[in-house]
Amino acid sequence: MVNYKDLGLVNTREMFKRAVAGGYAIPAFNFNTMEQMQAIVMAAVETKSPVIMQVSKGARNYANGTILRYMAEGAVAYAKELGCEHPEIVLHLDHGDSFELCKECIDNGFSSVMIDGSSLPYEENIALAKKVVDYAHQFDVTVEAELGVLAGVEDEVAAAESHYTKPEEVIDFSTRTGCDSLAISIGTSHGAHKFTPEQCTLVNGVLVPPPLAFDILHEIEKKLPGFPIVLHGSSSVPMEEVNTINQYGGHLEAAIGIPEEQLREASKSAVCKINIDSDSRLAMTAAIRKHLAEHPGDFDPRQYLKPARENMKKMYIHKIVNVLGSDGKLAQC
Ligand SMILES: [Zn+2]
């Protein structure tokens, strides 16, 4: 048994409390590689922001869960080396799909887990989430559960259709499960192709997706005042990265994300964790394609991974400062 506290990690409880009260959101960035981890830590340290580093099923398949845990431990040490004496870094399991997986992560140093029973019937979702909460809370690990279904594809999480969270269920669900935060479905979506062009309206030559269901969010907030709400699938899919990818030999068609103004708006509410994964993939791929196109003789991975890391770091800082507002929000610097 490895307790996250011995690794210098923190759970989400205190940072969420401050984020809800302060009207901002904590960034939850997925990571699979060392360069992503370094870029996340550099961005968090430079902006003095708490940060959630999250691990999906795809990340565990790609990089190995044990290695990712050691990388998170390394992230804490790296943040300190970069001059941040009291970093607030959460190691979070993204979309845990079973009690066994959540337990394994808790036993191996994760400070927060998501149990995603959103595809199950309501009562089964409650029973599964409660089982995870009962186990996690013994070790002061925080638990995110989900009500409602997001559309889109993210690693191995896929759903064809979204089902908005029903506000009338949230009190019963959060009370009976004891979960620490709740992921809801209000129109965000997994992946880089969140909407089809047919779902969007054309404004000045740009495809604008349908707005998030802020009415549902506000209803949920009214029912659960101050309760931490989580938005998944919240990449904005920046057009400049998509254009760079396509300009240098890529072929991304109709990649559409969530407009950043809407995420900024959501951050000011009880939404206190915003998940961003695709934007990091796009930033990395755009920089690598550009570098290799401009330097066809390069073959040392460090030559193209360095600009990739820089580009991701720039994106993370932009999100922290201009979209989520979590800069300068460490309890102690
Ligand atoms: Zn998700």
Side-chain angles (χ1 to χ4, degrees), residues 30 54 94-95 114 116 144 146 150 154 157 190 231-233 275:
N30 287 75
Q54 54 185 21
D94 193 19
H95 290 285
M114 176 194 193
D116 180 0
E144 174 185 327
E146 178 166 334
L150 268 71
E154 179 194 43
V157 181
H190 288 129
L231 285 189
H232 280 243
N275 290 6

Side-chain angles (χ1 to χ4, degrees), residues 71-300:
M71 276 165 70
E73 189 177 353
V76 175
Y78 184 43
K80 289 182 179 170
E81 201 179 304
L82 290 176
C84 180
E85 275 184 58
H86 303 283
E88 293 176 40
I89 299 176
V90 174
L91 177 61
H92 176 76
L93 170 68
D94 193 19
H95 290 285
D97 58 2
S98 68
F99 170 79
E100 290 69 28
L101 173 59
C102 291
K103 179 180 183 300
E104 187 190 315
C105 288
I106 293 164
D107 292 349
N108 283 290
F110 280 60
S111 58
S112 174
V113 293
M114 176 194 193
I115 177 68
D116 180 0
S118 62
S119 60
L120 298 172
Y122 182 72
E123 288 296 331
E124 286 174 43
N125 187 2
I126 288 185
L128 179 59
K130 182 173 169 17
K131 190 174 174 193
V132 172
V133 168
D134 287 345
Y135 185 76
H137 281 182
Q138 296 177 70
F139 308 100
D140 205 19
V141 168
T142 41
V143 178
E144 174 185 327
E146 178 166 334
L147 252 186
V149 178
L150 268 71
V153 181
E154 179 194 43
D155 291 345
E156 280 155 62
V157 181
E161 267 180 63
S162 71
H163 300 279
Y164 285 176
T165 305
K166 296 181 190 140
E168 62 273 21
E169 289 178 347
V170 297
I171 296 177
D172 182 60
F173 186 86
S174 60
T175 312
R176 287 171 61 199
T177 60
C179 66
D180 300 279
S181 61
L182 185 63
I184 61 166
S185 172
I186 57 165
T188 60
S189 162
H190 288 129
H193 300 83
K194 299 187 187 301
F195 306 96
T196 61
E198 295 74 43
Q199 289 174 295
C200 302
T201 29
L202 198 62
V203 181
N204 299 329
V206 179
L207 287 171
V208 178
L212 298 180
F214 280 101
D215 51 334
I216 295 180
L217 173 59
H218 295 322
E219 251 185 274
I220 292 170
E221 279 185 299
K222 249 184 253 165
K223 298 209 184 282
L224 293 175
F227 194 82
I229 300 296
V230 177
L231 285 189
H232 280 243
S234 297
S235 281
S236 59
V237 188
M239 274 330 285
E240 67 266 30
E241 306 293 7
V242 173
N243 290 342
T244 302
I245 289 171
N246 289 339
Q247 183 186 341
Y248 294 103
H251 186 69
L252 279 182
E253 261 182 295
I256 299 166
I258 311 293
E260 289 188 335
E261 310 79 69
Q262 295 199 21
L263 297 171
R264 197 176 303 131
E265 186 62 37
S267 303
K268 292 176 186 157
S269 69
V271 169
C272 64
K273 172 176 180 269
I274 291 190
N275 290 6
I276 295 169
D277 188 1
S278 297
D279 285 353
S280 157
R281 301 176 180 190
L282 292 167
M284 187 175 208
T285 302
I288 291 174
R289 279 199 179 275
K290 181 169 189 287
H291 182 91
L292 289 177
E294 289 173 349
H295 305 87
D298 282 359
F299 66 94
D300 179 344

